[in-house]
Amino acid sequence: MAQKLIIVESPAKANTIKKFLGRGYKVEATMGHIKDLPKSQLGVDIENNFEPKYITIRGKGEVINKLKKEAKNADKIFLATDPDREGEAISWHLANTLNIDKGSLCRIEFNEITSQAVKKAVNNPRTINMNLVDAQQARRILDRIVGYNISPLLWRKVKKGLSAGRVQSVATRIVCEREEEINNFIPQEYWNISANFLSPSSNQIFEAMFYGTQTKKLELKNEEEVNGLLEDLKKAVYTVKNIKKGTKRRNAAPPFTTSTLQQEAYRKLGFTTKKTMMIAQQLYEGIEIEGEGAVGLITYMRTDSTRISSEAQSQARTYIKNNYGDQYVPETPNKYKTKGKTQDAHEGVRPTSIDREPERVKDSLSRDQYRLYKLIYNRFLASQMTAAIYETMTINIKGGDYIFKAKGSRKMFPGYTVIYQEGNDDGREEKDTDINLPKLSENEVLELKTLNPSQHFTQAPPRYTEASLVKTLEELGIGRPSTYAPTISTIITRGYVVREGRNLVPTELGTLVNDLMIEFFNNIVDYKFTADMEEKLDKIEEGNEIWQNILADFYRPFKESLDHADKNIKKVEIADEESDEICEKCGARMVIKTGRYGKFLACPNFPDCRNTKPFVEKLDISCPKCNGQVVVRRTKKGRRFYGCENYPECDFVSWNMPSNKKCPICDSFMIVKKDRNGKENYLCSNKDCRYKMEEGQ
């Protein structure tokens, strides 16, 4: 019997596709790329028009032999790798390896792994898109040229093990510049004045904020100004000058793109970008659902488009009508504008079936799979619903020459908010509570009850989180959907940036390397230059640029910068920080070094003495269980937690920063410091004790 062979990247994807096709099909997986540039050398012939030297990836020989054997027995081969540049490049390497005519109709693609999508793709094969392949090659070779030339230079001049990359170096610069901004920030004093007024007609007290005079807003900069103003305000007679009523519509956010999915999963679920993409890949490739078998639950998750197919939109509208009512269905389907230059080949990220509700499939998913799927499902469903409508009211209150303003709002119709609220960078959802004001009439005289001046200081810009860094990279046009997660993982793994709570903080090493990159390779870390390069890669994909020409234009000035740096960068000595630990093998005081997995202790007499130990950061805090010393530890993913130095004999651990304070209620348990909702609170570590104290109490 004639057999058709379909080749995909992963076994999970293969298992899902198998169930949609009959006996005449066999599905095999490559386990990712099968060929790449060699790790041991540059692998690019600069003089021969940037000809790449591809080799079989170590460990893939057995996979290739199996594919060759299956290919011989097949009368037709379909290459069904992911629908993007990387997927196209894998198909191209497969075609070369299996001697498939690249001009033949061998390539199939689908945006979702469903029966309908897979069968439609099989019936509509196309040729390999060499523009996509060339765009991938150009990016790969470009990144190889940068990494394999600058990294050895950093090894020679600074320290072994360092690396530089085209996008990672820009990401490091963004984090470093924010830290510099924070360090140089000078707080500015300002004051607010709130007032409580009594409305005699309604017998209600309400709050209003000082605005200024009747002609302009006043900025209150110091206590002297405020005290002078308070004397005038106390003497004034207050009346309602005017009341402005209106309605405000708040539209739903669009379906997820890769970037917004990563941002929202970080804000709401606490997922790193890497974890989000790993779980999304599982949901895309297929999960064993009870009663259904392997099912792809979401569309392809690497996309910067918010476009949704008319079929999916129609199904969502029907679902909303049946489950929420006609008033939740917009008269015409919602359309969303995309920001900047968007690759519109794929849809936004959505569930493959609106009828496959999160609760229905919950028992077949892991906890994290369920949480991410629910996030994607609810966001998509909300994006197809009507706007939330609010009644707004602004009351201008006149007192002499001065104006106070009171603002209120009331939700009249919830619209999409019955399902979904966007998150903020601090992990909270948007506030959506009513602010009610009393019924007032114009010219009504009000009674001033209290004036409440409050001193404030302007705040430094916040450090980047993974969510806000992804957002910034996207806004600057740096990188593409597939690059955000690996870029952030790389700068953390290299020790240029560390996570402190939710924040990304540059290390001393990261700052040093960034300074060198700015001085000697300014183009590489220039925001506009990097964004322009992304546009050139897009033009290659569109068939409007030749990839070798783009590389040649880049390489000439890059080589000049490289030669200049090699001659002018002076050897930088990074002195190792001494620790209090004594090497038990030779008696030397051990030093703190930074490796791929963070800090560790090493003997300074290397290579004569090769003794190393884990680095433990000790805090001046006693363990509440055994009175040992509390130390800082890190998970494999770099998240900080706190434990006892006497582990494993003592099992004390806490995710929250400990304190030496004792709980006044239960005494035996210490209080831990927890940053929550922007405030630092002391919480009792005893789960049975609910004592809480704000800092300063």
Side-chain angles (χ1 to χ4, degrees):
M1 179 181 175
Q3 192 173 60
K4 296 181 177 66
L5 174 65
I6 295 180
I7 304 177
V8 297
E9 297 105 309
S10 77
K13 192 173 176 182
N15 289 335
T16 308
I17 290 172
K18 281 175 187 175
K19 63 175 281 192
F20 302 138
L21 303 169
R23 292 182 180 177
Y25 290 87
K26 185 150 192 180
V27 187
E28 294 291 343
T30 65
M31 311 293 286
H33 280 272
I34 60 167
K35 294 204 170 182
D36 196 8
L37 300 174
K39 289 185 177 181
S40 58
Q41 55 183 274
L42 180 64
V44 179
D45 190 344
I46 304 290
E47 304 301 323
N48 189 22
N49 210 14
F50 300 94
E51 184 68 27
K53 176 187 176 183
Y54 293 115
I55 63 168
T56 299
I57 295 172
R58 182 176 292 180
K60 289 299 177 76
E62 193 175 324
V63 173
I64 290 173
N65 289 336
K66 184 178 181 182
L67 291 175
K68 285 181 175 179
K69 182 180 176 182
E70 295 294 345
K72 282 182 182 179
N73 298 326
D75 67 323
K76 180 66 180 174
I77 302 173
F78 291 117
L79 306 175
T81 49
D82 283 349
D84 57 13
R85 292 175 187 170
E86 291 296 322
E88 206 71 18
I90 294 173
S91 283
W92 179 64
H93 285 303
L94 282 168
N96 287 329
T97 302
L98 302 178
N99 296 318
I100 301 170
D101 181 2
K102 290 181 285 295
S104 66
L105 301 176
C106 61
R107 177 77 167 108
I108 62 173
E109 63 172 305
F110 30 80
N111 191 52
E112 57 187 75
I113 305 177
T114 60
S115 177
Q116 184 180 356
V118 171
K119 288 176 181 177
K120 183 179 178 182
V122 169
N123 291 327
N124 294 277
R126 61 169 174 80
T127 59
I128 289 174
N129 185 335
M130 285 307 299
N131 292 335
L132 276 173
V133 174
D134 289 344
Q136 190 274 343
Q137 285 197 105
R139 177 187 288 281
R140 186 76 185 93
I141 294 170
L142 191 63
D143 290 344
R144 175 56 67 99
I145 288 171
V146 171
Y148 272 51
N149 280 289
I150 299 181
S151 297
L153 181 65
L154 294 176
W155 299 350
R156 294 196 304 272
K157 302 288 187 175
V158 184
K159 184 182 179 184
K160 279 211 166 189
L162 298 183
S163 76
R166 198 174 53 84
V167 178
Q168 77 177 57
S169 296
V170 179
T172 303
R173 178 178 184 174
I174 292 171
V175 177
C176 287
E177 287 187 342
R178 175 57 58 86
E179 194 70 15
E180 186 178 2
E181 220 179 322
I182 293 169
N183 292 336
N184 294 336
F185 181 80
I186 300 173
Q188 300 295 315
E189 182 183 7
Y190 70 96
W191 287 71
N192 289 330
I193 301 174
S194 67
N196 288 323
F197 293 102
L198 171 66
S199 162
S201 63
S202 63
N203 198 33
Q204 281 185 259
I205 293 176
F206 65 98
E207 185 181 64
M209 298 301 295
F210 176 76
Y211 173 77
T213 68
Q214 296 187 56
T215 56
K216 66 176 181 178
K217 182 175 175 63
L218 292 181
E219 305 289 342
L220 305 176
K221 296 180 179 177
N222 55 58
E223 189 173 10
E224 187 178 352
E225 279 183 20
V226 171
N227 288 337
L229 181 62
L230 287 174
E231 293 304 313
D232 292 340
L233 294 176
K234 288 173 184 175
K235 300 172 187 174
V237 176
Y238 292 93
T239 59
V240 177
K241 182 182 179 185
N242 54 46
I243 301 170
K244 296 178 184 176
K245 292 184 178 180
T247 57
K248 181 179 72 174
R249 292 170 60 87
R250 180 186 288 175
N251 294 317
F256 282 130
T257 61
T258 304
S259 163
T260 54
L261 174 61
Q262 290 173 346
Q263 291 173 52
E264 197 75 339
Y266 186 78
R267 291 167 181 151
K268 284 193 167 186
L269 308 179
F271 289 0
T272 63
T273 51
K274 184 177 179 181
K275 180 174 181 176
T276 297
M277 295 310 288
M278 178 188 72
I279 297 171
Q281 185 91 31
Q282 294 165 0
L283 297 174
Y284 165 69
E285 291 182 343
I287 304 288
E288 286 288 333
I289 303 297
E290 188 176 349
E292 292 189 72
V295 174
L297 293 179
I298 65 169
T299 54
Y300 193 53
M301 63 285 156
R302 293 187 180 92
T303 177
D304 52 10
S305 172
T306 56
R307 179 181 64 80
I308 294 296
S309 71
S310 56
E311 182 184 4
Q313 205 160 40
S314 176
Q315 290 172 357
R317 289 168 65 84
T318 300
Y319 180 92
I320 293 165
K321 179 181 178 180
N322 292 340
N323 289 273
Y324 296 92
D326 288 332
Q327 67 270 38
Y328 288 89
V329 183
E331 286 186 21
T332 57
N334 293 338
K335 290 186 178 179
Y336 297 94
K337 292 181 180 179
T338 52
K339 296 178 182 177
K341 187 173 179 62
T342 297
Q343 304 299 299
D344 205 37
H346 311 307
E347 294 183 55
V349 185
R350 62 167 175 83
T352 54
S353 170
I354 201 67
D355 294 324
R356 204 172 280 120
E357 296 152 322
E359 295 305 316
R360 196 183 123 201
V361 298
K362 183 176 182 179
D363 290 344
S364 300
L365 304 178
S366 70
R367 179 174 180 268
D368 286 341
Q369 287 171 343
Y370 164 73
R371 293 169 75 203
L372 189 65
Y373 178 64
K374 184 178 181 181
L375 189 72
I376 293 167
Y377 183 98
N378 288 352
R379 172 77 165 230
F380 168 67
L381 192 60
S383 76
Q384 305 307 307
M385 298 178 82
T386 48
I389 301 174
Y390 300 82
E391 178 185 64
T392 62
M393 180 187 290
T394 301
I395 301 171
N396 288 320
I397 300 162
K398 178 186 173 186
D401 291 331
Y402 300 108
I403 296 290
F404 280 80
K405 287 180 181 283
K407 294 184 178 182
S409 67
R410 179 177 65 87
K411 187 186 286 185
M412 299 168 63
F413 177 68
Y416 76 90
T417 63
V418 295
I419 293 175
Y420 191 83
Q421 293 273 16
E422 279 194 275
N424 296 316
D425 276 346
D426 60 7
R428 294 174 294 169
E429 290 188 342
E430 289 180 338
K431 286 185 177 179
D432 199 18
T433 53
D434 290 348
I435 302 173
N436 294 310
L437 294 175
K439 289 184 179 180
L440 303 173
S441 56
E442 290 190 6
N443 300 317
E444 180 178 345
V445 178
L446 303 173
E447 181 184 339
L448 175 66
K449 302 298 287 184
T450 59
L451 286 169
N452 311 302
S454 55
Q455 182 188 39
H456 304 273
F457 291 91
T458 54
Q459 298 293 308
R463 283 171 167 155
Y464 282 104
T465 63
E466 287 202 25
S468 57
L469 181 56
V470 166
K471 185 178 181 181
T472 300
L473 289 169
E474 184 182 38
E475 287 173 346
L476 292 172
I478 294 166
R480 282 294 180 259
S482 61
T483 64
Y484 303 134
T487 296
I488 292 174
S489 294
T490 299
I491 63 177
I492 291 171
T493 301
R494 295 295 181 190
Y496 298 158
V497 171
V498 294
R499 289 192 189 96
E500 288 189 4
R502 297 176 70 89
N503 299 322
L504 298 176
V505 183
T507 61
E508 184 181 349
L509 182 63
T511 303
L512 172 63
V513 172
N514 179 59
D515 290 344
L516 288 173
M517 292 295 293
I518 290 173
E519 183 176 356
F520 293 98
F521 298 98
N522 191 258
N523 268 0
I524 298 296
V525 291
D526 180 78
Y527 301 152
K528 187 175 185 308
F529 179 85
T530 308
D532 287 347
M533 184 58 70
E534 292 293 349
E535 289 196 8
K536 289 175 182 177
L537 293 172
D538 291 341
K539 286 179 180 178
I540 297 170
E541 180 175 329
E542 293 158 6
N544 297 323
E545 286 281 4
I546 297 171
W547 68 275
Q548 291 95 335
N549 292 349
I550 298 296
L551 291 173
D553 291 343
F554 167 81
Y555 187 74
R556 282 188 290 271
F558 173 72
K559 184 65 167 66
E560 291 175 8
S561 297
L562 194 67
D563 293 340
H564 173 74
D566 200 12
K567 292 176 184 174
N568 292 280
I569 294 180
K570 295 178 181 177
K571 179 75 175 172
V572 179
E573 294 291 341
I574 301 179
D576 291 317
E577 182 185 348
E578 279 196 348
S579 74
D580 295 329
E581 293 284 330
I582 302 299
C583 175
E584 65 272 21
K585 293 187 177 180
C586 70
R589 189 182 291 275
M590 300 188 84
V591 295
I592 302 169
K593 290 183 174 288
T594 302
R596 184 171 181 179
Y597 301 105
K599 292 181 177 180
F600 65 96
L601 293 175
C603 182
N605 293 329
F606 179 88
D608 296 329
C609 179
R610 297 175 177 268
N611 189 24
T612 61
K613 290 181 180 180
F615 171 73
V616 178
E617 181 184 345
K618 294 184 178 180
L619 302 178
D620 188 21
I621 296 169
S622 299
C623 173
K625 287 194 172 183
C626 73
N627 287 323
Q629 201 166 6
V630 172
V631 298
V632 178
R633 301 188 187 276
R634 288 187 183 272
T635 66
K636 289 182 180 178
K637 295 181 180 178
R639 186 178 174 189
R640 288 165 65 103
F641 70 97
Y642 305 90
C644 181
E645 64 176 343
N646 295 325
Y647 177 85
E649 288 78 14
C650 177
D651 62 357
F652 168 75
V653 289
S654 171
W655 285 115
N656 307 308
M657 170 71 85
S659 161
N660 273 325
K661 294 187 179 184
K662 292 286 184 179
C663 174
I665 304 297
C666 67
D667 189 54
S668 59
F669 283 80
M670 72 180 206
I671 304 297
V672 297
K673 193 165 83 172
K674 187 171 185 179
D675 190 352
R676 186 169 183 172
N677 297 338
K679 292 182 179 179
E680 291 185 342
N681 300 315
Y682 290 98
L683 306 176
C684 183
S685 60
N686 179 358
K687 292 178 181 178
D688 297 325
C689 177
R690 296 187 176 183
Y691 178 76
K692 174 181 173 181
M693 178 181 71
E694 287 190 9
E695 194 168 37
Q697 278 187 274

